[in-house]
Amino acid sequence: MKKLLYLFLVSCFTLSISAQEELVYQKPPKEILELADFERAPSLMMDSKRTKMIFQYRNTYKTLADLSEQEIRLAGLRINPKTNIASTTTYLNNLKYKNFNDVEAKQIEGLPENARISNMSWSPDETKIAFTNTTQKGVELWYIDVAIGKAIKLTEDNLNANMGNPYTWFRDNNSLLIRVLPKDKAALIDAKEAVPTGPTISISEKGEKAQNRTYQDLLQNVTDEANFEALATSELYKVDLTGKTTLWKEKAIYSGEIFSPDGNYILISTIKRPFSYIVPLGRFPSETNIYDLDGKLISKFNERPLLEVIPKGFMSTYTGKRSISWRSDQPATLYWAEALDGGDQEKQVPKRDEIFQLAAPFTGQPTSLVKTINRYAGILWGNENVAVLYDNWWNTRNTKTYLFNPSNSKHEPIVISDRNYQDVYSDPGNFDTKRNQYGRNVLNIDGEKAYLIGDGYTEKGQFPFVDEFDLKTKVSKRLYQSNYTDKKLDIISINDAKRGEYLIRLQSPIEYPNYFILNTKKRIAPIPVTHFDNPFKSIANVYKEVIKYKRPDGVELTGTLYLPAGYDMQKKEKLPMVMWAYPTEYKDKSSAGQNTTNPNEFIYPYYGSPIYWVTRGYAILDDAAFPIVGEGKSEPNDTFIEQLVANAKAAIDAVEELGYVDRNRVAVGGHSYGAFMTANLLTHSDLFAAGIARSGAYNRTLTPFGFQAEERNYWEAPEVYNTMSPFMHADKMKHPLLLIHGGDDNNPGTHTMQSERYFNALKGLGAPARLVILPKESHGYAAKESVLHLLWEQDQWLEKYVKNKK
């Protein structure tokens, strides 16, 4: 207790003696800058028949001016109150289109000036695409006539996108249901100027255990409640493709509008009071009702109370209807899950969940479809006689896949897969889907056959596959398996299984990922569909290898090793090295040791990557495996520190044995939980010369009801929390640590305060450290100025404490 008190006092009172450095935004050295300052290739949007492609362009980075726009944080949302859309939205600025067989993409005409495009979606018949455009004042709705490649404006900039996508298509393909700001929208209250009418009071009733994670951006007082209600409230209007609008539903806090597959009904969810100060809006009270196309109420379908109190555990849930949705294969049938264990994972029951359905006109009694052994995880509908059901259980990492007959609940579902979902070598793949007559994705069934697309991870490498699955015999037959050894192949979709035609993506370390049509029954090369160029040619000649090694307990590990271009493999100069990693929890050593790294993956130095430093004379060990294993009744975190150090030592030993590195000049780094790992490694080992920790959490007593994959609370496992917290061992830190954090981190558990308090403790105890707060940035960093300065900071740190270590 004396040690904890001392650390607390240090963190509170050293701020006044902390030194600051006045510094404007910097840029990294030329070698890094030319990699970081690149033009991003467009992303793609395709129709279900794979005949049309939309090329979506955006800036490589945002700017600080973008991040400095108005923002208000309420109930887990971050909103721009001027434009009424999420302040974190990433916008597209241009769109092009082409048919699959065309060589060049064409410009979509008529796009808004200074376009800020988001929320794109196909119409049900896939002849049009709707999108929103954000102006300086608000959000507009537009659509694209794909046949002529022209964009047309439908509404003024008065849509309300604060709760997400503000529109949905009617099934007629000629009109949309939109959320619009009410004409009598309440004015926002300035929280800084509002005069309180009383204190803020929260209540805990005896016996009600609200063990919630450490959420960000929650409501805090009645002013926040009023502002949230004002910003989240919309009216629903119907707008046709001529721009004519008619009021469809009165104002409410709409959180979801989903049409039935036949388009004759709509399921609408709204949020109700009372709001909460300890959980975000997804757990506020809600009401879900069914309406017809004229907005007439058909059925008050479900009311869900405030969910502050839920039984403890990752597999616990609430009672009553949940996961309410429409059956994709039926005109208008709702289905949902209900817990059979009271939502409490600690209760031992033979079946955890039961799935029910109710068809239009929704006046009868629900019928039971099926029950699950684990917690329900979804259904892929096929037809009236075939559907695929999934469940899972986190504590055992078990997942089951069932085949069942939706028309006969007396037939027991058949388990066709029962496996550890972290055991990637046993993954049978995912069922392929197709778009049905309602425009919904359903199981791709051809007679008695369905199809599986698998990632194909094996001990010998990754070889994606397509299997034909017999729905009668439940036996799979291999139709195709990649034999590429010099490229990474991903199977995107099955175009025609009988003809052996697939849409694939190919890449290599120096070839940017591009799309191709592959025909496995014709001996011809894959036909290119896209032609994206490599924007990182300056690192085309670096050496890349996936190395394999073991830690002392026999767990097999991997990491991706990069060496500078021109490195003499015979002379083997001892290089400084940067190791980058992120710990992952497992329940068995076998799964922990499986390799999911493909050596043929394109070398893409994104903003957070350590690969930049291969141009500065460093060896890089990226994505080094850091499994944390807890078998049987043991939990992974019971031996977290020991396993961290064992993983790190095994990695350094392996690269040193290859003769490439000077083990006295090795840095370790990571982001988020990787930052937490970094601080612990520098604290509890002497393996590293220095470290870089970005956006981490370092005091686990500030996340007392669980973190990452830890579901025990602090009072159940105080020794685990204290041992794992670098803050509690700040007096042991002797190695230089660069702490970087976004000034407005929005991730649960990694509040900016975590880095600030940890730095204050380190400085108060004389440890070498530097704290860099990036203004306006969240958990990940978005502005170009921030990213370039981040790279400069990391380069300076590595040059001083690693490459030129004294």
Side-chain angles (χ1 to χ4, degrees):
M1 286 301 294
K2 289 182 178 179
K3 180 179 178 181
L4 291 177
L5 178 60
Y6 173 67
L7 286 171
F8 174 75
L9 293 173
V10 165
S11 71
C12 290
F13 297 116
T14 57
L15 186 61
S16 61
I17 63 172
S18 296
Q20 285 77 43
E21 179 181 334
E22 294 294 331
L23 194 67
V24 297
Y25 286 101
Q26 301 292 305
K27 293 182 179 180
K30 179 183 177 183
E31 307 96 312
I32 294 177
L33 182 59
E34 69 177 14
L35 289 173
D37 193 7
F38 72 101
E39 184 176 342
R40 181 187 297 271
S43 56
L44 295 181
M45 179 178 177
M46 307 180 197
D47 68 339
S48 63
K49 295 179 181 178
R50 304 296 186 243
T51 60
K52 307 182 187 77
M53 304 180 74
I54 306 298
F55 291 72
Q56 302 170 313
Y57 296 83
R58 67 181 179 92
N59 295 328
T60 303
Y61 305 106
K62 293 185 178 183
T63 67
L64 279 175
D66 295 331
L67 302 190
S68 298
E69 292 185 358
Q70 293 182 41
E71 182 181 73
I72 188 168
R73 305 171 189 176
L74 299 167
L77 299 175
R78 293 193 170 187
I79 293 168
N80 182 327
K82 183 178 179 182
T83 57
N84 288 288
I85 192 171
S87 58
T88 55
T89 302
T90 296
Y91 295 108
L92 306 171
N93 56 30
N94 193 20
L95 300 172
K96 294 182 181 181
Y97 74 107
K98 83 179 189 74
N99 296 321
F100 261 63
N101 296 329
D102 295 342
V103 176
E104 296 293 333
K106 301 175 184 178
Q107 177 64 47
I108 290 179
E109 302 296 335
L111 292 173
E113 291 186 19
N114 303 314
R116 293 200 293 173
I117 295 167
S118 58
N119 299 311
M120 294 184 67
S121 73
W122 292 98
S123 61
D125 65 0
E126 297 185 316
T127 63
K128 307 172 188 71
I129 297 174
F131 67 87
T132 60
N133 177 58
T134 303
T135 70
Q136 294 301 310
K137 298 188 300 179
V139 178
E140 307 167 330
L141 182 64
W142 291 61
Y143 83 95
I144 299 167
D145 186 329
V146 179
I148 61 174
K150 184 177 181 180
I152 301 161
K153 180 180 173 181
L154 284 180
T155 73
E156 298 303 317
D157 47 7
N158 62 346
L159 271 62
N160 188 348
N162 291 329
M163 295 288 287
N165 189 347
Y167 72 86
T168 185
W169 283 94
F170 279 85
R171 177 131 180 91
D172 64 6
N173 300 294
N174 292 311
S175 53
L176 302 98
L177 189 64
I178 59 175
R179 296 179 193 163
V180 175
L181 296 168
K183 291 184 175 60
D184 60 348
K185 177 179 178 291
L188 297 181
I189 303 171
D190 189 330
K192 295 180 180 179
E193 296 182 359
V195 178
T197 59
T200 299
I201 299 171
S202 297
I203 298 171
S204 174
E205 299 290 350
K206 184 177 180 180
E208 288 190 348
K209 297 180 179 180
Q211 300 194 13
N212 298 300
R213 288 292 176 112
T214 310
Y215 297 110
Q216 303 267 39
D217 304 333
L218 299 175
L219 301 179
Q220 298 183 36
N221 49 51
V222 292
T223 297
D224 282 355
E225 289 191 53
N227 285 340
F228 168 72
E229 193 163 38
L231 288 166
T233 298
S234 303
E235 293 173 332
L236 293 182
Y237 279 77
K238 182 177 181 179
V239 58
D240 65 24
L241 296 189
T242 69
K244 178 184 177 182
T245 60
T246 53
L247 180 65
W248 195 85
K249 204 77 190 141
E250 67 280 358
K251 65 180 180 182
I253 303 179
Y254 295 102
S255 58
E257 306 88 41
I258 309 173
F259 281 98
S260 61
D262 66 3
N264 291 327
Y265 301 94
I266 182 167
L267 190 71
I268 294 182
S269 296
T270 54
I271 288 176
K272 305 290 185 181
R273 286 180 176 270
F275 304 146
S276 172
Y277 295 180
I278 64 173
V279 293
L281 66 98
R283 290 169 64 175
F284 289 1
S286 68
E287 185 177 284
T288 300
N289 298 324
I290 305 168
Y291 297 87
D292 66 15
L293 294 187
D294 295 321
K296 178 184 175 183
L297 178 65
I298 301 299
S299 171
K300 286 197 169 187
F301 190 71
N302 188 53
E303 289 190 11
R304 194 194 69 190
L306 176 64
L307 299 175
E308 288 186 340
V309 179
I310 292 177
K312 185 175 75 69
F314 292 164
M315 299 315 300
S316 290
T317 186
Y318 56 92
T319 58
K321 298 183 182 75
R322 70 176 200 278
S323 302
I324 303 169
S325 191
W326 297 103
R327 276 186 59 168
S328 303
D329 64 322
Q330 296 295 309
T333 298
L334 286 170
Y335 71 101
W336 64 94
E338 294 190 30
L340 297 173
D341 56 5
D344 188 351
Q345 69 175 43
E346 294 301 319
K347 289 185 179 180
Q348 299 302 311
V349 295
K351 299 292 177 65
R352 291 287 177 179
D353 283 332
E354 185 170 9
I355 317 304
F356 296 90
Q357 69 175 0
L358 181 64
F362 317 107
T363 54
Q365 291 298 312
T367 58
S368 174
L369 279 171
V370 66
K371 296 179 181 178
T372 62
I373 297 171
N374 295 322
R375 190 66 74 204
Y376 167 73
I379 292 178
L380 175 57
W381 298 100
N383 55 41
E384 59 186 15
N385 298 314
V386 179
V388 177
L389 168 71
Y390 303 94
D391 70 15
N392 63 58
W393 198 253
W394 180 85
N395 306 75
T396 59
R397 309 302 198 267
N398 179 255
T399 182
K400 291 179 175 62
T401 304
Y402 309 76
L403 203 62
F404 76 101
N405 185 343
S407 297
N408 193 339
S409 60
K410 293 181 180 180
H411 286 185
E412 282 293 312
I414 300 170
V415 177
I416 58 174
S417 176
D418 187 353
R419 51 183 287 272
N420 178 340
Y421 58 74
Q422 289 185 314
D423 177 8
V424 294
Y425 293 170
S426 70
D427 189 347
N430 298 314
F431 280 103
D432 186 49
T433 61
K434 65 180 180 182
R435 198 174 176 98
N436 66 6
Q437 70 271 32
Y438 303 120
R440 305 296 174 95
N441 288 329
V442 295
L443 192 64
N444 183 5
I445 300 175
D446 185 0
E448 296 294 335
K449 312 295 185 183
Y451 303 95
L452 291 157
I453 299 176
D455 291 329
Y457 290 109
T458 72
E459 292 182 6
K460 296 180 180 180
Q462 184 184 9
F463 306 98
F465 61 83
V466 175
D467 279 355
E468 179 185 81
F469 181 80
D470 192 305
L471 296 169
K472 279 191 173 182
T473 65
K474 317 301 184 290
V475 174
S476 293
K477 172 187 173 183
R478 185 66 37 98
L479 296 180
Y480 168 74
Q481 184 153 22
S482 169
N483 58 5
Y484 278 91
T485 57
D486 61 340
K487 297 181 189 291
K488 181 179 186 291
L489 179 147
D490 299 293
I491 301 170
I492 307 303
S493 65
I494 299 173
N495 288 0
D496 190 321
K498 290 183 177 179
R499 291 168 52 193
E501 186 176 288
Y502 310 106
L503 177 66
I504 64 169
R505 184 172 55 222
L506 286 175
Q507 60 187 291
S508 77
I510 61 173
E511 294 174 306
Y512 195 89
N514 273 291
Y515 291 85
F516 296 79
I517 298 296
L518 173 68
N519 192 306
T520 61
K521 295 187 177 182
K522 294 181 180 179
R523 295 186 177 181
I524 58 174
I527 301 170
V529 177
T530 62
H531 303 83
F532 302 134
D533 198 15
N534 179 1
F536 308 116
K537 292 179 180 177
S538 64
I539 55 172
N541 295 321
V542 304
Y543 175 81
K544 178 183 180 182
E545 177 188 1
V546 175
I547 62 171
K548 298 180 180 180
Y549 49 98
K550 291 184 180 181
R551 70 185 196 189
D553 62 358
V555 175
E556 296 183 353
L557 306 174
T558 61
T560 305
L561 178 68
Y562 299 88
L563 299 175
Y567 179 80
D568 191 330
M569 303 295 285
Q570 301 300 318
K571 184 179 178 181
K572 290 190 175 181
E573 175 192 354
K574 300 288 186 180
L575 301 174
M577 184 173 81
V578 179
M579 180 194 300
W580 210 261
Y582 190 95
T584 304
E585 298 83 352
Y586 294 87
K587 286 300 292 179
D588 69 291
K589 291 181 179 179
S590 175
S591 298
Q594 294 183 359
N595 177 24
T596 58
T597 303
N598 192 317
N600 298 312
E601 187 172 3
F602 178 66
I603 302 175
Y604 195 123
Y606 68 97
Y607 87 88
S609 170
I611 297 173
Y612 296 104
W613 281 273
V614 76
T615 68
R616 299 280 285 161
Y618 293 80
I620 307 297
L621 188 64
D622 194 17
D623 196 22
F626 265 70
I628 309 297
V629 185
E631 295 189 305
K633 294 184 178 180
S634 297
E635 291 298 326
N637 288 340
D638 292 346
T639 53
F640 181 82
I641 301 299
E642 295 90 334
Q643 294 191 63
L644 271 191
V645 175
N647 291 327
K649 185 177 184 303
I652 295 173
D653 288 347
V655 185
E656 185 189 38
E657 187 175 336
L658 292 171
Y660 300 141
V661 301
D662 174 0
R663 70 177 303 131
N664 294 312
R665 293 188 297 154
V666 178
V668 63
H671 191 95
S672 194
Y673 208 53
F676 177 68
M677 169 204 75
T678 297
N680 269 308
L681 284 171
L682 294 188
T683 300
H684 298 289
S685 78
D686 291 314
L687 295 169
F688 299 98
I692 300 170
R694 300 194 313 239
S695 297
Y698 309 102
N699 182 351
R700 286 304 170 192
T701 68
L702 298 179
T703 55
F705 291 110
F707 57 91
Q708 203 69 8
E710 179 59 67
E711 65 176 352
R712 295 170 294 187
N713 65 45
Y714 175 79
W715 296 272
E716 291 172 324
E719 190 62 30
V720 170
Y721 276 67
N722 291 329
T723 299
M724 290 179 67
S725 295
F727 180 87
M728 301 302 181
H729 306 280
D731 56 329
K732 298 177 183 177
M733 175 65 80
K734 299 295 186 291
H735 306 290
L737 177 61
L738 174 61
L739 291 164
I740 302 173
H741 218 118
D744 296 315
D745 196 318
N746 60 345
N747 185 56
T750 56
H751 194 282
T752 308
M753 175 184 66
Q754 287 272 5
S755 286
E756 293 170 337
R757 295 285 175 85
Y758 185 40
F759 172 78
N760 289 338
L762 293 173
K763 185 171 179 63
L765 293 165
R770 178 180 176 91
L771 172 63
V772 179
I773 301 296
L774 298 173
K776 309 290 185 179
E777 294 290 354
S778 297
H779 191 59
Y781 316 139
K784 183 176 183 179
E785 299 92 330
S786 300
V787 170
L788 296 183
H789 186 86
L790 164 78
L791 297 174
W792 178 84
E793 288 281 359
Q794 293 179 159
D795 185 72
Q796 294 284 307
W797 197 256
L798 293 170
E799 292 290 295
K800 179 177 181 179
Y801 290 109
V802 182
K803 181 189 283 186
N804 300 303
K805 176 186 176 183
K806 296 179 181 179

